[in-house]
Amino acid sequence: MDIVFAPKDRKKVLKLPIVPPDLEWDNPQKHETMETIQGGEILIPGLRGLTTLSIDSVFPMKKYP
């Protein structure tokens, strides 16, 4: 698995040389819960939120080959 950061036009691509072993992905979904007339609850599926990725690492100050 490679991790690549790039804009849509892919003019500038940044690829992580080593994939960190402890990646944390967050993919929230915005659900709503409504109460019914009978006193129960129903779950209304919502839209997906933004996917985020957390990386804990040390990045070098200069470029390496």
Side-chain angles (χ1 to χ4, degrees), residues 1-3 16 23 25 28 34 39 48 53 56-57 61 64-65:
M1 177 174 106
D2 292 332
I3 297 180
L16 293 182
L23 294 177
W25 294 90
M34 305 286 282
R48 293 176 71 180
L53 168 66
D56 290 327
S57 184
M61 294 294 292
Y64 291 95

Side-chain angles (χ1 to χ4, degrees), residues 2-62:
D2 292 332
I3 297 180
V4 178
F5 300 98
K8 285 186 179 183
D9 60 7
R10 298 191 60 87
K11 287 186 178 179
K12 187 173 184 179
V13 177
L14 174 66
K15 179 180 171 187
L16 293 182
I18 299 171
V19 178
D22 54 343
L23 294 177
E24 295 181 24
W25 294 90
D26 185 25
N27 194 0
Q29 197 152 3
K30 299 172 184 173
H31 298 305
E32 283 188 50
T33 304
M34 305 286 282
E35 288 191 29
T36 63
I37 296 173
Q38 290 86 11
E41 291 184 348
I42 58 171
L43 179 68
I44 301 172
L47 299 174
R48 293 176 71 180
L50 294 176
T51 300
T52 58
L53 168 66
S54 298
I55 300 174
D56 290 327
S57 184
V58 176
F59 294 97
M61 294 294 292
K62 63 179 186 174

